[in-house]
Structure formats: C-alpha cells, structure tokens
Amino acid sequence: MTRTNRNFVIAYALLVALPVAGLLGVLRYGSSLQAPVSVDGVWEVQSDRSPFAALLCGQSFATAEDLAITISQSGKGFSLDLANGFRTKAAGVIEGNTLSASLSPPAVRSSAAGCETGRVLQLTASVDPKAEPKTLAGVLSVADCSACVPVEFRAIRPAPARKRGPH
Amino acid sequence: MLNLFTLVLQIAVILAVCRLTGSLFRKMHQPRVVGEMFAGILLGPSLLGWIAPQFSAYLFPQSSLGFLNALSQVGVVIFMFLVGLGINPKELKKQGHAAILTSHVSITAPFVLAAFLSLYLYPRLSDDSVAFASFALFMGASMSITAFPVLARILAERDMLGSRLGTLAVACAAVDDVTGWCILAYIVVLIRAAHATTSIWVTLGGIVIFALVMIYGVRRLLQGYETVYRRTNGLSENMLAFMLLLVLASALCTEWLGIHLLFGSFLMGAIMPKEPKFVRYILDRFETITVTLLLPLFFAFTGLRTNIGLVKGQEMWMYSGLIILVAVLGKLGGSMVASWLSGMPLREAAGLGTLMNTRGLMELVILNIGLDIKVISPALFSMMVMMALVTTFMTTPVLELICPDKMIRATMPVEAMQPVSVEGLDLEARPGSAA
C-alpha cells in the first residue's frame, strides 16, 4: 500500500467510519428517549353537547352539527382549532398526558349574553395513550368565573386508515 | 370542487411575486431561485397571512390548496427528473481520493451531528408517534443534502465550473444528492411500513428489484434516445412525450412501492444517457415551463405550509439557531476539513465547504416529504425551512469573501476559462433556469 493510499484509509476511517459507528450509538441511546404523547389530528367530540349551551361563551359548541377539535402538534406545543362554526383557534401545551389551552378573545366570538370581550375559555384534557382509538377526556371552563359550571367532554381520534398496495 | 378563477388567480399572483422577488435577489447577486424561495414565504402565513389574514384567506382558501399542491407536485416530479439527468457518476471517478473522502465526509459529518442534535430536539419538537430512529435519520438526511442545481448555478455565474474547486464541488454534490435520496427513501419506507399491511422486507425487495430493472434493463433501452438524437440531431414530439410517460411511470412505480413519486422520477433522470449535448437538448425542452411556471407553485405551496409564527419564544428561536449552527458546522466544516486533509489549500477548502452548504430547493423538497409523512412537526418544518434559506442565502457572499474571483482564476487551466457546462447544465445562458 502506498503512503497516499494509507493516509487515505486512515483519514477515511477517522472521518467516515468512526462517525458512522457513533451514529449507531446515538440511534441506540435515542430509542430510550420519551417524546410527548401524540395528539395531532382531528378529534371527534362524542359526548352530549347540550351542556355546552349553559356554558358562558360556549353556546356555539352546543349548536354545531359536527363538533371536532383539530390539533396541530409540534412537540409539547400545539394549536387547536374548534370547528364549531366560529373556527375558534387557540394554542396550548402538553405536560405528560395532560393538554391545556386558553381560548381567548378575539378567538372566542359569541353573541351570547355575558360573553364579553376579555372572557377566556380554558380547556384541560387528558389523553389515554394506550387506548385505540385514542381518547381525550376533559373539561371546558370559563376562567375567573366561579359561578360558571365547567362542561365535561370526551373526544376520540379515529385510527389512521391502513394503506393499500405493497407497502 | 375546483374553483378555476381562484386557481388561475393564485397562479398569476405567485408568478408575479416570484419573478419580482427573484429579480430583486438577482440585484443582490443571489441566484434567482433564492428570491423565489423567499417569495413563497412572503405569500404564506408568515407574512401575507399575518398582515392581511382576510386577503390571504380569500386568495388561498384551504379548499383550493389541494389543486395547487397537485400542480406543484407535477412540477417537482419533472424537476427531479432534470436533476437526475444532470448528475453524472463518472464525474466523481475523475476526481480521485479527494472527492471520495470529501463527498463522504460532507454526508457523514452533518448526518451524525444532526443525529446528536436529535437527542436534544426529539423530546421537545416531536411526539411519540414518530420513532427516534426515523426522526434522527430524517434530520440527518435533510441536513446532509446539497442543492446540486443551485450549486451548479452559482459556479456558472462566477465562471468557476472549470476550476479545481468547481469540478470537485459538482462531483461531491452529485454524490451527496444520490446518497441523501437513498437514505430518505429508506426512511420513508420505514415510516410508511408502520401503517402498511405488507412486510417491510417485501417493500424493500420490491424497491431493489425495481432499481435493478431500471439500472440494468431500462437504462440500456434509453440509449436508443441518444442514438436517435445523434442521427437526427433532435427527437420527435412523440419521443419526448414517451420520455415524459416513462418519467411518470417510474414515479408511479416508486409511489406504489411505498417510497415517493420523486424517487422514481429522479432515478429515471439518473439513468438517462449523459452525452452533454443530448442532456442540454432534453433540458431545453422541459426546463422552461418547469422552472418558470411549476416550481414557483411549489415554492408558494411550501411557503403556505411554513409558519414562522410557530417559532415563538426564546426557546424556539434557540432551537432554530442550533439547527442552523449544526447544519453549517456539519456541512461547511466537514467538507472543509476533509478537502483540506486531502491536500487542498485552506481557503479553497473553505470555499468548497461553503458551496456544499448550499441546500436550496432540494432541502425544501425533502422537508415537504417529511411533513407529509409526519416525521417532522409544523414548527420544526418552519425552522428547517429557515435553515435552508439561510444556508442558501449565505453561499454567494461567503464564497465571495473566502474565494475572490482572482484567486479562483489562478487555479484554473487556460481552457477552463471558457464558459463550460456541467453535463449540459449550461446555466449562465439561462437567467431563469434550473433552480
């Protein structure tokens, strides 16, 4: 082996082979890491929606034909879109299996009496990571309103359809 | 339902904004494509949707985006065919050990650094529906890519294609792209297999068989194109239409096999005959409509998916900074060290690293695939798009700083002072071509 070739082999081993070995180590170590629970997708609200009518600023949820919560997740943060005719949007965070989000004006828009600007709806829910399809159970409440009764809800995220074809 | 008025209006606005922004960037000595990438961001929620949400919702209603996406994907399918067409594996062989070491290090360095970064980002920006291995491999593949066409454009604009630096950069970028796409194909198969009814081994077996048929069977048949071109100095419309059909058929095969449309079109381009005049002829036929009409739609669609508003708070901006730092360190640093160790002078080696750090449109293509298969989240997608823009934007000024024209010309043989082309990618003659 010439000197040039030997140098090439040494450089290749140090700069290519060694990092690739390191990559395998990283993949092995990383498999034990825990990422936030997945909540991304469309959640269909299953529970009786009539109690929403009694909730301050929540009347629109009771009248919506198909109440769905669309969540777009980025790690621990998520944005939430309540397809309730008002396209109420909010941002929230995930801690463990618990989601919390604040729906604040101007996102919350309702012509109902008492729902003035400044009111904040609080969504708190927990996801069951083992259930299939995944379920979300929580409450929707009005912040800073001791007289307001929180409304419980339950939503499910249908499992993704399996692809056809050879894959 | 398709609203033709909305779609045509969208196309008109996108074309106008892309041309305008592209021209502005040309005045800043940047390739037009960088301006067009920025134009996409301007039209999305990061700017238009932020300052004029009602107009944005009118111009780009959610229901219309499917059509825009379909059109843009057709453009990217043809573009990837042209990218594959411009790549010639023989270029690497001519360069010897230096090119082999540099190209391989320019893949492994950013790849491994990205995997290390993934240890930090995975618990913060991903979720448990994505396996760590998929996340880390995707991050690695997306950071190790080099935008071969943008790089060729920059080299051509600076008359550097014939220089030692230019030829080495083109050869390394070609290897990077092919390797990056192979790794990405593997990741897509892994992720899609998780939701599929068929074993991953059947899928992988199918892909290997398809690749072998293409490389050892179809490639020989494609030589017929070159033979006809030599004989008649051109190809009939029927032959060109059949070539497009082959591209689409190959794309459909890879999509059906569970990878992605783009792999098929790229492979078809890669196995086409590489005679420079023939390549130039094909590029002339397909490039204009793809680059001037369809790719801007892709930039706009990417911009509509990019929401820099998701990157909020110190923590998120720190993640973005880390991503850019690791991308630059891995690609620029890795290529520079490897080429310097191979005997290249330090400044030239730094110039090579800078060129290899150009990610451009190829990065956007990969990121869109990542978002589609949900291996990266919307916030991470936006951060990575920013990284693609920054690394592409920085190339020209940094290169000018490190390797001034005088220095490059001193390393060029006299015959290389004439305008040259990379396997027909005669880019300097085409101000709007080859993104």
Side-chain angles (χ1 to χ4, degrees):
Chain A
M1 189 184 272
T2 64
R3 194 176 161 194
T4 315
N5 282 348
R6 195 175 60 237
N7 287 347
F8 171 74
V9 170
I10 293 169
Y12 197 88
L14 283 175
L15 295 173
V16 180
L18 201 63
V20 170
L23 174 67
L24 296 177
V26 169
L27 294 179
R28 199 180 165 89
Y29 175 76
S31 62
S32 63
L33 289 176
Q34 193 67 44
V37 63
S38 164
V39 293
D40 192 85
V42 180
W43 297 78
E44 294 164 1
V45 177
Q46 298 282 296
S47 47
D48 176 22
R49 293 200 294 277
S50 54
F52 285 113
L55 183 72
L56 197 62
C57 301
Q59 287 85 345
S60 62
F61 305 134
T63 52
E65 272 186 27
D66 294 306
L67 186 56
I69 303 169
T70 305
I71 295 179
S72 175
Q73 182 182 10
S74 291
K76 289 183 174 178
F78 66 88
S79 63
L80 177 150
D81 185 356
L82 277 169
N84 61 337
F86 291 93
R87 308 296 298 181
T88 310
K89 288 189 174 182
V93 289
I94 305 165
E95 289 296 339
N97 292 334
T98 306
L99 287 75
S100 52
S102 297
L103 290 67
S104 51
V108 173
R109 286 174 298 196
S110 172
S111 56
C115 183
E116 70 273 16
T117 305
R119 283 283 183 201
V120 175
L121 282 177
Q122 197 74 41
L123 182 143
T124 311
S126 61
V127 62
D128 182 352
K130 290 196 175 118
E132 199 56 54
K134 272 191 177 163
T135 57
L136 190 68
V139 290
L140 197 62
S141 58
V142 183
D144 304 322
C145 176
S146 53
C148 303
V149 182
V151 176
E152 291 186 4
F153 70 90
R154 187 173 175 279
I156 65 158
R157 185 179 70 177
R162 293 176 88 82
K163 284 181 179 286
R164 283 174 293 174
H167 50 87
Chain B
M1 196 181 149
L2 173 63
N3 183 333
L4 208 54
F5 178 83
T6 305
L7 185 64
V8 174
L9 181 65
Q10 286 171 349
I11 294 173
V13 171
I14 290 167
L15 283 188
V17 175
C18 278
R19 295 314 291 181
L20 192 68
T21 321
S23 300
L24 281 175
F25 274 67
R26 288 290 298 123
K27 284 192 167 43
M28 295 157 64
H29 303 288
Q30 288 283 343
R32 176 178 284 278
V33 65
V34 183
E36 292 178 351
M37 284 162 67
F38 269 99
I41 306 290
L42 301 182
L43 289 169
S46 302
L47 188 74
L48 184 66
W50 181 50
I51 58 171
Q54 282 176 329
F55 178 66
S56 173
Y58 168 74
L59 188 60
F60 298 109
Q62 200 66 32
S63 58
S64 72
L65 298 186
F67 304 110
L68 195 62
N69 182 28
L71 270 177
S72 74
Q73 287 301 316
V74 172
V76 180
V77 163
I78 300 172
F79 174 73
M80 287 307 296
F81 165 68
L82 299 180
V83 172
L85 188 67
I87 284 177
N88 190 348
K90 286 178 187 162
E91 282 295 318
L92 183 71
K93 286 181 188 164
K94 289 182 199 164
Q95 303 299 322
H97 285 167
I100 293 170
L101 185 67
T102 307
S103 62
H104 288 191
V105 174
S106 71
I107 296 166
T108 51
F111 204 108
V112 173
L113 285 179
F116 272 104
L117 180 65
S118 300
L119 291 172
Y120 181 70
L121 293 182
Y122 177 70
R124 291 164 178 83
L125 291 173
S126 190
D127 62 65
D128 67 1
S129 67
V130 181
F132 175 79
S134 303
F135 182 83
L137 290 175
F138 181 83
M139 290 293 285
S142 61
M143 283 204 189
S144 58
I145 206 83
T146 292
F148 172 77
V150 179
L151 187 143
R153 166 83 68 88
I154 293 170
L155 291 170
E157 282 174 357
R158 299 197 65 210
D159 279 340
M160 287 170 65
L161 278 170
S163 68
R164 178 174 53 191
L165 180 57
T167 47
L168 189 59
V170 166
C172 292
V175 176
D176 280 20
D177 271 10
V178 174
T179 313
W181 282 94
C182 288
I183 295 166
L184 190 67
Y186 176 69
I187 299 164
V188 175
V189 168
L190 270 187
I191 291 167
R192 286 190 169 177
H195 303 289
T197 48
T198 317
S199 154
I200 186 171
W201 296 109
V202 176
T203 307
L204 285 174
I207 293 164
V208 170
I209 292 169
F210 173 74
L212 291 175
V213 168
M214 292 290 280
I215 294 167
Y216 294 103
V218 178
R219 187 163 71 164
R220 285 186 186 174
L221 296 176
L222 291 174
Q223 294 298 330
Y225 269 110
E226 195 184 323
T227 311
V228 173
Y229 175 77
R230 275 193 194 149
R231 205 172 51 222
T232 62
N233 213 20
L235 297 173
S236 68
E237 279 183 7
N238 278 344
M239 290 194 82
L240 288 170
F242 187 67
M243 187 184 288
L244 259 187
L245 273 178
L246 287 175
V247 173
L248 297 179
S250 176
L252 285 173
C253 280
T254 49
E255 177 69 22
W256 188 73
L257 283 166
I259 27 178
H260 198 280
L261 284 169
L262 300 183
F263 297 102
S265 56
F266 179 74
L267 183 58
M268 182 56 80
I271 61 169
M272 287 296 283
K274 301 295 178 190
E275 202 276 312
K277 279 185 182 170
F278 172 77
V279 171
R280 179 70 261 160
Y281 178 81
I282 302 299
L283 286 171
D284 281 341
R285 295 295 167 284
F286 292 126
E287 212 173 47
T288 309
I289 197 79
T290 309
V291 171
T292 55
L293 175 69
L294 298 175
L295 281 187
L297 303 186
F298 174 73
F299 293 131
F301 187 73
T302 303
L304 287 167
R305 306 175 93 183
T306 307
N307 188 354
I308 294 173
L310 290 174
V311 185
K312 54 188 168 192
Q314 269 187 341
E315 205 180 355
M316 295 289 252
W317 281 104
M318 189 196 72
Y319 299 155
S320 303
L322 263 179
I323 288 170
I324 294 171
L325 183 71
V326 166
V328 173
L329 202 66
K331 199 74 187 177
L332 195 157
S335 314
M336 182 179 134
V337 169
S339 50
W340 179 63
L341 286 176
S342 304
M344 196 177 240
L346 188 61
R347 283 182 77 155
E348 258 187 86
L352 181 70
T354 308
L355 284 166
M356 297 300 288
N357 195 35
T358 309
R359 289 182 176 80
L361 169 60
M362 301 298 279
E363 181 74 25
L364 297 190
V365 173
I366 286 186
L367 293 178
N368 274 282
I369 293 176
L371 189 63
D372 285 340
I373 60 175
K374 291 184 183 292
V375 72
I376 53 170
S377 60
L380 184 55
F381 174 80
S382 300
M383 292 175 194
M384 296 289 280
V385 169
M386 280 196 281
M387 179 271 285
L389 287 171
V390 170
T391 55
T392 310
F393 187 84
M394 69 188 271
T395 303
T396 306
V398 174
L399 192 65
E400 185 61 47
L401 197 72
I402 298 172
C403 300
D405 283 343
K406 265 187 196 170
M407 194 190 105
I408 296 301
R409 288 186 175 277
T411 71
M412 287 169 87
V414 177
E415 64 272 21
M417 297 289 200
Q418 307 303 319
V420 289
S421 65
V422 183
E423 293 307 317
L425 275 170
D426 184 17
L427 296 156
E428 74 255 66
R430 313 178 59 77
S433 70

